């Protein structure tokens, strides 16, 4: 049974490559920067999060820039390991976080789709099938065999969307980027996304768009400064957001 | 639209900061990473293609530059060392190739994780894949230079005996060490960005203190100390069987000891710091 369970989840980013010494002097001004036990300056990206997401829930992560939305998505995906607390994730995970993830600009569209398949752990035959499907869906036609470097912005969006959404995970982690695209392609893209979301048991979506939240989600978690400030049904959480109903 | 069926293996993972199970997770990382060598191979092939994009000779530039070096240094140093050219040239060719490979591997090891930053921060993959990718790309580049050895051997009329098969064991040791160094230096260099410069300088020094151009015999009674140099021992397990009818037992023992040491240290660091790599790159 797909499930996400976090108890006191914390993520801290160490700041190594900037002048930590000068930063220490100004430390107390900014509350999210602190010095940890081995005297490193760390940014508390997520602080003591506890929540439980059950099958069937469509969760929106809302909050201003830097609130920790994408970091939380990456942590749920298993990229960052918590420095504090406990995280249990059950179920196959699909991530739509960065459109260009793992893309090679010098390889052709088809090669990139196959690479995507390998990243997902597919066999060679399955990769061929994937290339076939994604090629058709992206509508790139003959450009599929041309290096991605020569693509227009719209074309690379199509390619990454097509290759990234060919999966049917139980838990779908999505950044709002995937809801932005050129109008022509979005009609088809939205249909595909709807399929994907309906097929998944759990959706976690980071977004700024309140329309998107109302349309897709049943529950909202409002993050601010790396903490959960509100968690509940969409309308309740949105009503309390600064800026009113968005 | 038809959907591609992606295997829906239900997986469960628990990340508990209080009970990290580091050893099990590191072993699982190694196991899963090695099982997905196809991905590492595809990425390594892309690395090589991108590195030599638009170049006519591609990786064969390495072969060519080594060939020029072998010819130039061969003539000069065979005169300096008063060695017959036919005897010195095969030694030098194998030496330079093995040295170039080792040196490139060590320097490239510093970037084994940094160069995969974009992937590490976007996708949950076993870190072993990135180390494997770097080993494979260096192995493929090194393989391009093999024809040079054949050519030099033919010109000088050297026919390696059946003992030359042992060079394969030497190569296997080299690969193991490359993997361990890739994990170790990859992590250290991701955390401390200055290490890469230090490593480059150390490798330059090692070129002169290791018997690459010169033969160990030139050290006379002092050559008993040479096995203390890991680069010499590892190089000799490949070079010895090919051009000097085998390497001595002490060489094999020291090479094995260094390999075990390298693997142990790398694994210990991997167990301890694996979960930090994503924050470092």
């Amino acid at each position: 049974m797909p499930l996400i369970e976090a108890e006191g989840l914390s993520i801290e980013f160490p700041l190594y490559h900037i002048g930590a010494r000068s930063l220490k002097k100004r430390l107390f001004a900014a509350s999210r920067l602190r010095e940890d036990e081995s005297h490193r300056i760390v940014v508390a990206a997520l602080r003591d999060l506890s929540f439980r997401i059950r099958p069937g829930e469509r969760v929106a992560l809302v909050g201003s820039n830097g609130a920790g939305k994408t970091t939380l998505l990456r942590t749920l995906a298993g990229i960052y390991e918590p420095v504090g607390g406990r995280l249990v994730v059950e179920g196959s995970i699909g991530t739509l976080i960065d459109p260009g993830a793992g893309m090679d600009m010098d390889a052709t569209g088809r090669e990139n789709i196959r690479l995507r398949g390998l990243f997902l752990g597919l066999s060679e035959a399955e990769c061929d099938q994937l290339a076939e499907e994604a090629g058709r869906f992206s509508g790139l036609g003959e450009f599929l065999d041309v290096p991605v470097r020569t693509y227009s912005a719209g074309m690379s969006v199509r390619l990454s969307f097509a290759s990234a959404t060919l999966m049917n995970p139980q838990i779908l982690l999505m950044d709002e980027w995937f809801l932005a695209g050129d109008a022509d392609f979005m009609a088809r893209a939205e249909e595909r996304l709807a399929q994907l979301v309906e097929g998944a048991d759990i959706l976690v979506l980071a977004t700024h768009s309140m329309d998107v939240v109302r349309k897709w989600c049943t529950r909202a978690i409002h993050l601010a400064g790396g903490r959960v400030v509100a968690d509940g049904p969409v309308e309740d959480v949105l009503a309390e957001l600064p800026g009113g109903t968005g | 639209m038809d959907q591609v069926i992606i295997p829906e293996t239900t997986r469960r993972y628990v990340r508990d900061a209080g009970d990290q199970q580091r050893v099990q997770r590191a072993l699982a990382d190694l196991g899963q990473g090695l099982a997905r060598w196809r991905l590492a191979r595809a990425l390594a092939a892309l690395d090589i293609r991108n590195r030599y994009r638009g170049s006519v000779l591609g990786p064969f530039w390495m072969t060519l530059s080594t060939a020029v070096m072998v010819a130039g240094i061969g003539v000069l140093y065979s005169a300096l060392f008063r060695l017959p050219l036919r005897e010195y040239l095969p030694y030098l060719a194998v030496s330079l190739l093995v040295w170039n490979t080792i040196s490139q591997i060590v320097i490239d090891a510093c970037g084994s994780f940094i160069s995969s930053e974009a992937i590490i921060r976007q996708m949950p993959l076993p870190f072993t894949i990135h180390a494997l990718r770097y080993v494979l790309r260096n192995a493929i580049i090194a393989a391009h230079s093999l024809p040079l050895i054949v050519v030099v051997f033919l010109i000088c009329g050297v026919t390696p005996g059946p003992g030359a098969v042992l060079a394969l064991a030497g190569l296997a040791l080299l690969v193991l060490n490359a993997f361990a160094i890739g994990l170790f230096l990859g992590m250290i260099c991701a955390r401390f960005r200055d290490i890469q410069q230090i490593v480059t300088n150390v490798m330059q020094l090692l070129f002169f203190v290791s018997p690459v151009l010169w033969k160990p015999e030139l050290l006379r009674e002092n050559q008993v100390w040479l096995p203390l140099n890991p680069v010499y021992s590892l190089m000799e397990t490949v070079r010895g069987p090919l051009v000097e009818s085998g390497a001595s037992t002490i060489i094999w023992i020291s090479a094995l000891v260094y390999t075990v040491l390298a693997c142990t240290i790398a694994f210990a660091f991997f167990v301890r710091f694996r979960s930090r790599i994503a924050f470092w790159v």
Side-chain angles (χ1 to χ4, degrees):
Chain A
M1 188 85 110
L3 173 84
I4 299 176
E5 199 176 57
E7 277 172 38
L9 184 67
S10 296
I11 295 277
E12 286 173 351
F13 285 103
L15 299 178
Y16 291 121
H17 308 300
I18 56 168
R21 202 167 282 276
S22 64
L23 205 60
K24 271 181 195 179
K25 295 177 194 154
R26 287 182 282 142
L27 204 56
F28 299 101
S31 60
R32 273 175 98 186
L33 293 180
R34 64 177 193 86
E35 197 175 338
D36 74 355
E37 56 277 9
S38 41
H39 304 287
R40 290 177 306 197
I41 304 291
V42 295
V43 182
L46 298 178
R47 296 188 279 189
D48 199 21
L49 304 189
S50 296
F51 53 83
R52 199 183 157 91
I53 304 176
R54 292 177 192 78
E57 285 197 288
R58 314 251 171 270
V59 181
L61 301 176
V62 295
S64 57
N65 286 327
K69 300 188 295 291
T70 305
T71 305
L72 180 54
L73 282 185
R74 287 193 179 147
T75 309
L76 295 180
I79 294 167
Y80 295 137
E81 308 232 339
V83 294
R86 182 180 150 90
L87 172 70
V88 180
V89 177
E90 237 167 275
S92 61
I93 298 176
T95 52
L96 300 177
I97 298 179
D98 180 337
M103 278 263 189
D104 189 287
M105 298 310 274
D106 294 312
T108 67
R110 191 185 302 280
E111 286 167 334
N112 266 305
I113 302 173
R114 292 177 50 90
L115 194 61
R116 182 85 200 176
L118 285 173
F119 275 126
L120 292 172
L122 302 187
S123 72
E124 317 252 302
E126 286 169 319
C127 282
D128 286 335
Q129 200 192 341
L130 188 78
E132 207 51 48
E133 286 295 330
R136 201 179 315 149
F137 180 68
S138 65
L140 284 170
E142 55 189 11
F143 280 98
L144 206 55
D145 293 306
V146 167
V148 174
R149 187 176 289 285
T150 63
Y151 282 23
S152 69
M155 284 161 80
S156 30
V157 168
R158 285 169 184 229
L159 177 72
S160 39
F161 184 90
S163 54
T165 55
L166 282 173
M167 54 183 177
N168 30 15
Q170 295 171 311
I171 299 174
L172 181 62
L173 307 172
M174 185 157 79
D175 216 336
E176 72 173 345
W177 174 88
F178 277 90
L179 299 168
D182 68 280
D184 169 40
F185 183 67
M186 267 330 272
R188 265 198 303 168
E190 208 162 298
E191 191 187 323
R192 172 76 200 107
L193 270 183
Q195 246 182 12
L196 199 60
V197 168
E198 274 154 32
D201 289 306
I202 291 178
L203 168 73
V204 182
L205 168 70
T207 183
H208 288 285
S209 159
M210 297 310 142
D211 292 338
V212 168
V213 176
R214 290 204 179 86
K215 185 170 170 197
W216 298 80
C217 302
T218 57
R219 171 181 170 188
I221 295 180
H222 178 198
L223 292 173
R227 290 185 202 278
V228 175
V229 290
D231 180 0
V234 166
E235 285 310 321
D236 297 0
V237 174
L238 292 197
E240 286 168 30
L241 270 187
T245 53
Chain B
M1 184 181 92
D2 301 334
Q3 280 202 354
V4 176
I5 307 306
I6 304 259
E8 268 192 55
T9 45
T10 303
R11 48 175 215 168
R12 173 192 162 85
Y13 70 78
V14 180
R15 300 283 166 84
D16 193 335
D19 170 27
Q20 298 187 322
Q21 301 193 302
R22 286 187 173 130
V23 177
Q24 290 96 313
R25 305 254 325 267
L27 287 172
D29 189 305
L30 283 172
Q32 290 163 4
L34 293 176
R36 296 180 64 181
W37 58 273
R38 279 192 183 82
L39 173 58
R41 187 188 60 185
L43 291 170
L46 275 179
D47 282 341
I48 291 175
R49 214 177 66 181
N50 293 348
R51 190 176 297 181
Y52 298 103
R53 193 161 58 99
S55 150
V56 179
L57 288 184
F60 285 109
W61 271 114
M62 260 270 294
T63 323
L64 194 67
S65 73
T66 316
V68 172
M69 257 182 95
V70 168
I73 295 177
V75 172
L76 175 67
Y77 277 62
S78 70
L80 278 180
F81 295 145
R82 293 166 209 284
L83 286 168
L85 193 59
R86 289 171 76 97
E87 188 189 310
Y88 181 60
L89 218 49
Y91 173 87
L92 182 70
V94 177
S95 275
L96 273 178
L97 276 178
V98 177
W99 167 261
N100 281 348
T101 306
I102 291 179
S103 154
Q104 294 215 333
I105 282 177
V106 173
I107 291 170
D108 199 24
C110 297
S112 67
F113 292 126
I114 299 174
S115 64
S116 300
E117 175 196 355
I119 297 172
I120 290 177
R121 288 164 61 101
Q122 299 300 344
M123 272 178 262
L125 283 177
F127 289 104
T128 308
I129 284 184
H130 310 300
L132 201 56
R133 167 190 191 173
Y134 124 91
V135 171
L136 288 176
R137 76 173 163 236
N138 281 291
I140 296 172
I141 292 178
H144 281 86
S145 295
L146 287 178
L148 182 63
I149 294 194
V150 178
V151 170
V152 171
F153 278 21
L154 280 178
I155 291 174
C156 300
V158 178
T159 31
V165 181
L166 275 174
L168 290 177
L171 280 178
L173 285 183
L174 214 54
V175 169
L176 263 179
N177 276 288
F179 184 72
I181 289 171
L183 279 184
F184 177 72
L185 277 183
M187 280 188 288
I188 302 274
C189 294
R191 171 67 186 84
F192 301 102
R193 300 292 167 112
D194 298 307
I195 305 283
Q196 197 160 1
Q197 310 301 326
I198 299 174
V199 168
T200 313
N201 282 311
V202 168
M203 290 316 286
Q204 258 169 14
L205 177 68
L206 274 176
F207 174 75
F208 292 105
V209 301
S210 307
V212 182
L213 300 180
W214 45 277
K215 289 198 161 194
E217 292 87 70
L218 289 173
L219 280 181
R220 288 182 203 93
E221 65 273 20
N222 284 325
Q223 62 171 304
V224 292
W225 301 106
L226 268 180
L228 289 177
N229 176 352
V231 173
Y232 167 69
S233 298
L234 286 167
M235 198 159 68
E236 196 58 25
T237 55
V238 180
R239 183 173 60 191
L242 281 179
V243 289
E244 287 168 328
S245 62
S248 64
T249 319
I250 187 82
I251 293 290
W252 283 102
I253 291 174
S254 59
L256 274 173
V257 168
Y258 289 129
T259 309
V260 170
L261 262 180
C263 292
T264 312
I265 294 174
F267 184 68
F269 268 75
F270 192 55
V271 167
R272 176 63 188 82
F273 295 111
R274 197 188 57 87
S275 63
R276 304 299 303 162
I277 298 174
F279 294 100
W280 287 344
V281 290

